[in-house]
Amino acid sequence: MSSESLSRAFARRLAIALAWLMAFQTMPGLAAQEPLEPKLNIVVIEGEGAINNVRQRTAREPIVQVEDQNRKPVAGATVTFLLPRDGAGVAMRDGSRSFTAVTDQNGRATMRGLRPNNVAGQFQIQVNASFQGLTSSAVITQTNMAVAAAAAGAGAGAGIGLSAKLIAVLAIAGGAAATGAVVAATRGGDSPKSTAAPPIVVTPGTPSVGSPR
């Protein structure tokens, strides 16, 4: 075989080898993946959108979870909760406006001992996390509201009681007599006066209506 033929055969084999190499490198999953840049993420577990009862002085305790760039919990991270100083908001039992905690093995931190102030409205809690030079921040939005649960419950109970009484009257009287009983119940249950029309008599079977004998 001539030298020219050998050169052509070598060039052809080299081209095939390069083509295979390029195809191998571009196949999904085979190329080496670059590592993700280290960072922190704050995930709000509880407390977002909570409504705090101003009258009962109860507030939802915020719970956050700190994660790394791979969404794995970060234990030992420092988390600081910052509370609003004006308007609607919450405060610690000692009156302080900030709280610092360290995440547990699950990467979670809880702000405990909160009480809402007496101002109704929406507010935000600032959350900052730090770990080995990395930082992250998030916001938790809550609302203070004067919830009159006892009054609402009493009103509902009164409505239920009135309905039950009307049903009982209807079951006993029946027919046209039920109409008079409903009017009497809604006006306080007073008995008809002697000057009223003659009472209606209801008997089992075929009803007969007439003046008492």
Side-chain angles (χ1 to χ4, degrees):
M1 183 179 293
S2 64
S3 59
E4 184 177 356
S5 299
L6 290 175
S7 298
R8 290 179 179 178
F10 178 78
R12 190 165 48 250
R13 292 179 181 179
L14 180 60
I16 295 174
L18 290 175
W20 275 102
L21 180 61
M22 292 178 63
F24 178 80
Q25 290 181 346
T26 56
M27 290 179 64
L30 295 179
Q33 295 182 355
E34 296 182 359
L36 298 176
E37 181 181 356
K39 65 177 182 178
L40 293 181
N41 295 314
I42 298 177
V43 180
V44 179
I45 304 300
E46 290 187 15
E48 175 63 29
I51 297 178
N52 303 320
N53 194 328
V54 172
R55 296 190 177 185
Q56 296 183 357
R57 301 299 303 275
T58 57
R60 180 71 65 84
E61 296 179 341
I63 301 177
V64 300
Q65 179 170 307
V66 180
E67 300 176 347
D68 62 11
Q69 68 277 7
N70 297 314
R71 297 186 178 276
K72 294 182 178 180
V74 177
T78 301
V79 179
T80 301
F81 299 86
L82 300 177
L83 306 177
R85 297 187 174 275
D86 300 315
V90 290
M92 304 296 297
R93 296 184 186 275
D94 59 0
S96 60
R97 299 288 178 175
S98 65
F99 178 83
T100 301
V102 177
T103 56
D104 58 17
Q105 60 181 0
N106 297 316
R108 296 191 177 188
T110 304
M111 187 178 191
R112 303 184 184 278
L114 286 181
R115 287 185 178 180
N117 58 20
N118 58 359
V119 181
Q122 191 178 84
F123 62 93
Q124 293 182 333
I125 301 175
Q126 182 74 29
V127 185
N128 299 324
S130 61
F131 181 75
Q132 295 183 352
L134 301 175
T135 60
S136 183
S137 61
V139 172
I140 299 175
T141 303
Q142 296 188 353
T143 302
N144 283 352
M145 186 177 297
V147 181
I160 294 174
L162 179 61
S163 300
K165 182 165 62 178
L166 292 178
I167 292 173
V169 172
L170 290 173
I172 295 174
T179 305
V182 171
V183 174
T186 56
R187 294 182 179 179
D190 295 335
S191 300
K193 297 181 180 179
S194 59
T195 58
I200 299 173
V201 178
V202 180
T203 59
T206 303
S208 61
V209 181
S211 303
R213 297 176 182 179

